[in-house]
């Protein structure tokens, strides 16, 4: 397993291969944990590149909120633009993880060639992901049903576009 750097909201974004973790963020009052620690663990297990992989999270370290809403949005926009792959994981639950902002971000990134979409069929509101899945298929975006498979698809994108990652990934197959 190669090194994984975890960078959270509004922290400096290093160079190198990057996966941005896009998707709904639990509200502090929501009784659900974040899915991002598990995604980061899976990325760390699956990453075999020669250089460290940076994982970008729009969640704040220690729960500290941005000074202004625009500060957060600007960082997320810059982080998605810097990412080698944008991993969208949408365990849609209209009560606790509605992901309305995620819908817009997915639309903005659908033509980037860097998006991967994960939509678990057993989430509380899978029917609310139907349109995103349709758009993904129209744009050739990989669609997966488990977080493990979504991570693998994101790392395949990184390997396809990052020479150091590609070399290592190809030798481990």
């Amino acid at each position: 397993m190669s090194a994984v750097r975890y960078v959270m909201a509004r922290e400096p974004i290093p160079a190198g291969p990057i996966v941005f973790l896009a998707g709904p963020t639990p509200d502090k009052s929501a009784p659900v944990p974040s899915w991002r620690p598990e995604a980061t663990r899976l990325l760390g297990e699956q990453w075999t590149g020669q250089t460290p992989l940076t994982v970008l999270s729009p969640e704040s370290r220690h729960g500290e909120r941005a000074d202004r809403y625009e500060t957060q949005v600007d960082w997320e926009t810059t982080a998605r633009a810097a990412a080698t792959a944008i991993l969208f994981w949408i365990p849609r639950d209209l009560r606790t993880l509605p992901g309305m902002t995620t819908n817009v971000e997915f639309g903005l990134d659908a033509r980037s060639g860097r998006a991967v979409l994960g939509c678990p069929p057993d989430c509380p509101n899978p029917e609310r992901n139907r349109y995103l899945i349709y758009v993904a298929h129209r744009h050739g975006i990989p669609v997966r049903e488990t977080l493990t498979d979504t991570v693998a698809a994101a790392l395949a994108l990184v390997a396809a576009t990052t020479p150091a990652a590609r070399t290592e990934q190809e030798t481990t197959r």
Side-chain angles (χ1 to χ4, degrees):
M1 177 173 74
S2 295
V4 172
R5 298 180 285 210
Y6 193 56
V7 175
M8 299 187 79
R10 302 173 313 282
E11 295 176 352
I13 301 168
I18 297 172
V19 174
F20 181 88
L21 300 178
T25 299
D27 186 284
K28 289 182 182 182
S29 64
V32 296
S34 173
W35 56 271
R36 288 184 177 93
E38 177 65 6
T40 302
R41 184 188 69 75
L42 291 168
L43 285 161
E45 285 180 0
Q46 294 184 32
W47 177 245
T48 59
Q50 296 173 342
T51 59
L53 175 71
T54 298
V55 178
L56 301 179
S57 171
E59 295 182 31
S60 299
R61 197 170 299 278
H62 311 298
E64 296 170 7
R65 298 185 61 90
D67 58 343
R68 296 175 42 239
Y69 180 76
E70 295 81 4
T71 303
Q72 178 71 21
V73 173
D74 289 345
W75 184 88
E76 289 185 33
T77 302
T78 299
R80 289 192 344 271
T84 314
I86 306 165
L87 185 158
F88 284 89
W89 178 248
I90 308 175
R92 183 89 61 198
D93 183 333
L94 293 180
R95 191 176 52 80
T96 61
L97 292 172
M100 299 305 160
T101 302
T102 300
N103 292 345
V104 174
E105 291 171 342
F106 183 76
L108 291 169
D109 295 328
R111 293 184 176 179
S112 71
R114 298 176 293 119
V116 171
L117 178 63
C119 296
D122 59 350
C123 66
N125 298 110
E127 73 283 358
R128 299 300 183 156
N129 286 331
R130 199 170 92 190
Y131 182 74
L132 297 180
I133 293 168
Y134 174 79
V135 169
H137 288 305
R138 284 191 55 121
H139 292 286
I141 296 169
V143 178
R144 302 294 184 264
E145 293 186 346
T146 68
L147 188 55
T148 299
D149 291 346
T150 307
V151 163
L155 290 177
L157 271 179
V158 172
T161 58
T162 307
R166 182 173 52 247
T167 302
E168 182 66 22
Q169 293 283 25
E170 288 171 355
T171 61
T172 61
R173 286 187 185 148

